[in-house]
Amino acid sequence: MGQLKLPRRFKMGILTRIQKLTQGKHMDSIQRETMDCDVLIVGGGCAGMATAIHLQQLVNQHNQNVDEGKIVGDKIADLMIVVLEKASYVGAHSFSGAVIEPKAMMELFPDCLQRGFPLESEVNDEKVYFLTEGAALPFPVIPPPLKNHGNWVVSMSKVNKWMGEQAEALGINIFPGFAAVEALYENGAVVGVRTGDKGLDKDGQPKANFEPGLIIRSKVTVFAEGPRGSLFKQVAQKLGLKDGKNTEVFEEGVKEIIQLPPGRIKPGTIIHTMGFPSHKSMGGTFIYGLPNDQLVVGYVGYMNTVDPLFDPHRDLQRLKTHPFMRELLDGGRVLAYGGKVLPGGGWYSIPKLYHDGMLVVG
């Protein structure tokens, strides 16, 4: 009986699998440092930072009430709150240009403006247009979901950086440059995470500058990774947090920051459009005026479209060919470009947001 000959790509796949298994055994033998904390927050965006800040504020208020005799009880001493942020600094993975309702920020810091909150402008002018391929038809009234008068135009990168500074001032421990790659479990409960190893080659093997990841154990782990958090996806699957829920639906938003000629648009001007360039899909455009003659132009489209060729990056470029947009952007220069996933499935697609030892925010 002749020897079985396997295709080369099949053999390479088996070898790659063996290497991964061997690598996993090797990596499991690495000695890792362990750190204990009370509350661990995975993700240093606005949700993670707000969670850390509010918790520390509650602890501080409790201790003050005990000192003043307003309540009877023990003070909470040396509560250790840790925030892990995978970017090199807080705010590095956030993209500029957003409109926020100031209520939540004012509740967190009533004196936020006196503290130097990075407010770009208040919304002072709003317009909505329906775009055909060659015309822009203005809405006679602003639809209620699009009303933003009195809200704030901000740079989320600056906001998150500022919130990180406020958190550190409260004594919260922020570790930038540390990505949580694995959740830790005991008796079905989440008890912490392992951070990623550094200094690995392209095959996942340690190099001379190898640094093993940390084991961070916590009483409570808070996942604040956003709508498509890589670690929470693993946790949700393992713990069945999406069982019985509708399939998740996502939107993709892409946007550019454009430097315009002087006097082209006022800070605080908000424009929304619908119609062109959407085709066989739902989507829309947001345009925010920033100080220094800068403009944010973004396009959001639902990813569950029946159009297999749907590409929000391409549609953003098509949007800029519209006569209305050409007139607005004439002479402009793109300063930055980026994209972000948004949840679009609604209430019945939201997974269970808590389990023993953990919860989800943001």
Side-chain angles (χ1 to χ4, degrees), residues 110-145:
D111 59 344
C112 62
L113 295 178
Q114 289 74 27
R115 288 171 175 259
F117 178 84
L119 170 64
E120 301 289 339
S121 175
E122 288 191 16
V123 176
N124 50 52
D125 188 18
E126 298 180 84
K127 299 180 177 68
V128 180
Y129 294 90
F130 182 86
L131 301 184
T132 66
E133 290 196 5
L137 309 176
F139 277 44
V141 296
I142 305 296

Side-chain angles (χ1 to χ4, degrees), residues 180-201:
V181 298
E182 180 184 6
L184 307 177
Y185 306 89
E186 284 185 5
N187 300 320
V190 177
V191 295
V193 302
R194 175 178 68 84
T195 65
D197 300 318
K198 300 180 181 180
L200 300 175
D201 63 20

Side-chain angles (χ1 to χ4, degrees), residues 64-348:
Q64 181 179 338
N65 289 340
V66 172
D67 287 337
E68 295 175 355
K70 294 180 179 179
I71 59 175
V72 177
D74 298 326
K75 295 175 64 175
I76 302 174
D78 301 324
L79 181 74
M80 187 172 181
I81 303 173
V82 172
V83 179
L84 294 183
E85 169 53 47
K86 63 184 178 182
S88 58
Y89 62 88
V90 175
H93 281 182
S94 307
F95 194 51
S96 301
V99 172
I100 65 171
E101 184 179 344
K103 179 180 178 181
M105 187 60 66
M106 296 294 287
E107 289 180 355
L108 201 62
F109 292 111
D111 59 344
C112 62
L113 295 178
Q114 289 74 27
R115 288 171 175 259
F117 178 84
L119 170 64
E120 301 289 339
S121 175
E122 288 191 16
V123 176
N124 50 52
D125 188 18
E126 298 180 84
K127 299 180 177 68
V128 180
Y129 294 90
F130 182 86
L131 301 184
T132 66
E133 290 196 5
L137 309 176
F139 277 44
V141 296
I142 305 296
L146 298 180
K147 286 185 178 180
N148 285 286
H149 221 75
N151 290 344
W152 292 353
V153 181
V154 299
S155 160
M156 289 311 302
S157 178
K158 294 179 182 177
V159 168
N160 290 342
K161 183 175 182 293
W162 179 84
M163 292 184 73
E165 294 168 353
Q166 305 307 307
E168 288 184 323
L170 288 170
I172 295 165
N173 300 277
I174 301 176
F175 296 159
F178 286 85
V181 298
E182 180 184 6
L184 307 177
Y185 306 89
E186 284 185 5
N187 300 320
V190 177
V191 295
V193 302
R194 175 178 68 84
T195 65
D197 300 318
K198 300 180 181 180
L200 300 175
D201 63 20
K202 63 179 181 180
D203 297 318
Q205 298 300 317
K207 297 191 295 186
N209 61 341
F210 175 74
E211 294 182 18
L214 300 173
I215 298 294
I216 304 180
R217 298 179 61 85
S218 61
K219 298 174 183 176
V220 178
T221 302
V222 181
F223 294 96
E225 298 181 289
R228 289 282 286 171
S230 56
L231 183 54
F232 178 66
K233 282 196 298 183
Q234 301 174 27
V235 173
Q237 183 175 4
K238 180 178 178 65
L239 300 178
L241 301 182
K242 296 182 181 179
D243 293 350
K245 305 294 183 178
N246 285 358
T247 302
E248 290 183 283
V249 177
F250 295 98
E251 307 166 49
E252 183 176 355
V254 291
K255 57 184 173 180
E256 296 178 349
I257 301 177
I258 299 175
Q259 181 66 57
L260 296 178
R264 180 66 56 82
I265 193 167
K266 297 178 182 178
T269 298
I270 300 298
I271 301 173
H272 288 94
T273 77
M274 55 189 70
F276 180 86
S278 297
H279 175 67
K280 296 182 180 179
S281 65
M282 291 193 298
T285 303
F286 55 91
I287 301 169
Y288 304 150
L290 302 177
N292 303 317
D293 300 297
Q294 293 182 359
L295 188 72
V296 175
V297 178
Y299 174 78
V300 176
Y302 277 76
M303 302 304 292
N304 64 337
T305 173
V306 296
D307 182 6
L309 301 179
F310 173 66
D311 182 354
H313 304 269
R314 178 199 61 198
D315 282 354
L316 177 60
Q317 304 312 312
R318 290 183 61 224
L319 171 71
K320 295 193 293 184
T321 68
H322 192 279
F324 173 76
M325 297 300 297
R326 280 208 310 268
E327 181 179 356
L328 178 64
L329 303 179
D330 184 42
R333 175 170 55 91
V334 176
L335 302 178
Y337 176 89
K340 187 180 185 299
V341 171
L342 301 99
W347 175 259
Y348 295 103

